[in-house]
């Protein structure tokens, strides 16, 4: 099976009237479908529970996006058992068969790009460009991982040895749990799930309770693409019961998780405990957040740096693990940078995602309250330059983009992940001091450096300890195949999603030797 060379899915240009009309039509279609009920699906069986929960639009907090089933431990156990049974057949299928299904899913998703983007506008408050980029990334994962699955199906080269025929092949792990976040409700959910499926594993998917409808839409997409029953099972419900049951079950072979550090650590610990009847050590793939920094050198293009910081800090309301939450600025340009930064930030307008404002809502009431509590802490740890308050509170969960200056590198708002539109600006004596500050957190996901000095760039490449380092550009917006994504330290297991190594996390090597003489 030979496929054309991989190409990234292009982003939609919404300045074109025809694209705006398509998006408006998709928004109207999705809005007409809000409030529908979605079932748990295990082995093709559709299940309703007595207890329900609701997904709400964070831009319009009383608007129900969907009604979901509140799954329990028994259903989670059933899902893993069914996935294990399905693995016996799915794990033996030819890679070409699996790839055809993934490519069919990519084709379907491409046709419904605006519709899937519109669901994100309503369920998680992404503006049009952010939602479109999420769908484009999801299409990329389907295409990119399909090609790498065919590559690994060829096995690995081994050294020739007299009298023997030797080979090394890659085989799937088994049945696993995929536990994705709400902030990239299609891209990350799909990327982790497809990485497992295309390599021959089966999956129990438990989406975030803040974005379960998009998870249900993805399940339906994969079914339409031809995925057999039981290969992908869909269950909604609380992480404390459904999620923990999936992670702890002795027949769970792997767990793929993206989310907070606290939940990631809990999953890592729970998965490490060998349960009665368990015959393997579970593999955990975890991406867990960051406290990402952009260094602005005294030899930087300040206008470019300001734009990069603003987009990285406040794009999607700072709700990205890659978001810039620390700007570390060399003191000789500190005041000038801050002046430009505040001016650029205050241009940002706030409003509903459906109306495509640059800044929309944060995900829910709990997130809003947490962010506001950090803003109160920040008022005692730095100088509030702009923002610092909730707005449009009768509509949704909106917070003004907030900047604190003169923040100590050890302050809480400079060390703890806030996951909202809050930026701490820190003064550095020089470039070396800036790198020292940047590295001084427990995280190590993304980082960026703005400087024209080649020697400083080379120094940063060696010393700035992050999984994804960017030079003279923003620290968000990793593209599949271009920027393999994953971080160091408490940012996770450095999975490098969207990179050539990622599928190996769902495979195990088997060496086979046959005596021929």
């Amino acid at each position: 099976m030979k496929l054309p060379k991989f190409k990234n899915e292009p982003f939609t240009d919404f300045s074109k009237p025809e694209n705006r009309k398509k998006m408006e039509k998709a928004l109207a279609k999705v809005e007409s479908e809000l409030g529908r009920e979605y079932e748990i699906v295990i082995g093709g069986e559709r299940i309703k529970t007595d207890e329900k929960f609701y997904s709400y639009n964070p831009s319009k907090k009383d608007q129900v996006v969907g009604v979901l089933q509140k799954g329990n431990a028994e259903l989670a156990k059933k899902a893993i058992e069914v996935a294990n049974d399905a693995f016996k057949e799915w794990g033996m299928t030819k890679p070409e068969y699996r790839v055809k299904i993934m490519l069919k899913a990519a084709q379907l998703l491409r046709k419904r790009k605006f519709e899937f983007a519109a669901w994100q506008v309503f369920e998680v408050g992404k503006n049009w460009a952010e939602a479109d980029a999420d769908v484009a990334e999801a299409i990329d994962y389907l295409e990119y991982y399909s090609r790498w699955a065919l590559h690994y199906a060829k096995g690995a080269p081994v050294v020739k040895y007299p009298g023997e025929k030797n080979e090394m092949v890659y085989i799937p792990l088994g049945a696993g749990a995929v536990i994705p976040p709400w902030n990239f409700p299609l891209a990350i959910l799909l990327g982790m799930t497809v990485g497992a499926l295309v390599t021959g594993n089966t999956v129990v998917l438990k989406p975030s309770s803040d974005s379960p409808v998009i998870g249900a839409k993805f399940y339906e997409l994969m079914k339409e693409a031809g995925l057999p029953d039981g290969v992908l099972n869909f269950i909604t419900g609380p992480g404390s019961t459904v999620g923990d049951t999936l992670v702890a079950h002795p027949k769970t072979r792997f767990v793929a998780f993206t989310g907070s550090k606290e939940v990631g650590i809990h999953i890592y610990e729970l998965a490490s405990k060998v349960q009665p009847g368990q015959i393997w050590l579970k593999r955990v793939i975890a991406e867990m957040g960051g406290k990402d920094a952009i260094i602005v050198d005294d030899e930087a293009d300040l206008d470019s740096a300001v734009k990069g910081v603003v987009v990285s800090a406040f794009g999607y309301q700072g709700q990205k693990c890659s978001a810039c939450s620390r700007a570390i600025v060399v003191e000789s340009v500190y005041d000038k940078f801050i002046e430009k930064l505040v001016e650029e930030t205050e241009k940002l307008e706030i409003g509903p995602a459906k109306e495509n404002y640059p800044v929309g809502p944060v995900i829910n009431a709990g997130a809003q309250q947490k962010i506001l509590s950090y803003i109160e802490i920040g008022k005692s740890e730095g100088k509030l330059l702009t923002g610092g308050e909730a707005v449009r509170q009768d509509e949704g969960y909106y917070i003004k983009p907030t900047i604190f200056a003169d923040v100590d590198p050890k302050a809480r708002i400079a060390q703890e992940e806030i996951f909202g539109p809050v930026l701490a600006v820190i003064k550095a004596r020089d470039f070396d001091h800036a790198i020292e500050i940047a590295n001084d957190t427990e995280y190590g996901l993304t980082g960026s450096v703005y400087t024209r000095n080649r020697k400083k760039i080379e120094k940063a490449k060696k010393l700035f300890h992050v999984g994804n380092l960017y030079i003279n550009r923003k620290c968000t917006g990793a593209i599949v195949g271009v920027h393999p994504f994953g971080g160091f330290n408490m940012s996770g297991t450095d999975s490098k999603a969207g990179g050539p190594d990622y599928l190996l996390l769902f495979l195990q090597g088997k060496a086979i030797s046959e005596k021929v003489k």
Side-chain angles (χ1 to χ4, degrees), residues 84-303:
N84 265 278
D85 287 342
F87 174 68
K88 293 168 189 172
E89 187 172 338
W90 180 252
M92 300 301 288
T93 57
K94 290 184 177 181
E96 292 80 4
Y97 169 67
R98 302 192 294 262
V99 163
K100 282 180 182 177
I101 293 173
M102 304 309 150
L103 295 178
K104 175 66 173 175
Q107 185 183 24
L108 292 170
L109 186 53
R110 204 174 272 114
K111 286 180 181 176
R112 296 180 204 157
K113 195 175 183 186
F114 291 96
E115 183 184 338
F116 270 85
W119 278 108
Q120 297 196 41
V121 169
F122 284 105
E123 192 165 37
V124 297
K126 289 198 172 192
N127 66 23
W128 298 9
E130 291 282 354
D132 175 74
D134 190 293
V135 182
E137 183 177 352
I139 294 167
D140 282 350
Y141 280 133
L142 286 160
E143 296 278 358
Y144 185 80
Y145 290 157
S146 290
R147 285 157 174 79
W148 277 101
L150 294 175
H151 171 81
Y152 285 118
K154 298 173 187 173
V158 291
V159 174
K160 288 185 178 180
Y161 191 76
E164 292 184 1
K165 180 185 175 185
N166 295 294
E167 57 184 317
M168 178 170 161
V169 297
Y170 293 106
I171 63 172
L173 297 172
V178 172
I179 305 174
W182 51 263
N183 63 332
F184 286 85
L186 182 65
I188 293 179
L189 175 149
L190 180 151
M192 293 194 295
T193 305
V194 166
L197 295 176
V198 77
T199 45
N201 302 281
T202 54
V203 168
V204 179
L205 170 63
K206 194 210 87 68
S208 166
S209 294
D210 284 308
S211 57
V213 173
I214 293 164
K217 296 293 178 184
F218 165 71
Y219 174 83
E220 295 301 334
L221 180 87
M222 297 308 295
K223 281 302 299 173
E224 188 176 345
L227 200 66
D229 289 339
V231 173
L232 174 61
N233 304 278
F234 177 76
I235 182 167
T236 49
S240 57
T241 51
V242 174
D244 281 5
T245 301
L246 294 175
V247 172
H249 198 286
K251 290 187 179 178
T252 298
R253 181 62 182 84
F254 65 90
V255 180
F257 165 80
T258 301
S260 71
K261 182 195 81 173
E262 290 74 21
V263 176
I265 290 171
H266 170 70
I267 286 173
Y268 204 73
E269 289 178 338
L270 186 58
S272 70
K273 184 175 174 58
V274 177
Q275 306 292 333
Q278 184 176 321
I279 61 169
W280 46 58
L281 297 175
K282 293 171 186 172
R283 188 172 294 179
V284 175
I285 303 146
E287 292 300 330
M288 303 185 336
K291 193 66 185 173
D292 310 301
I294 292 181
I295 292 173
V296 182
D297 182 41
D298 55 6
E299 296 181 86
D301 177 337
L302 286 191
D303 291 333

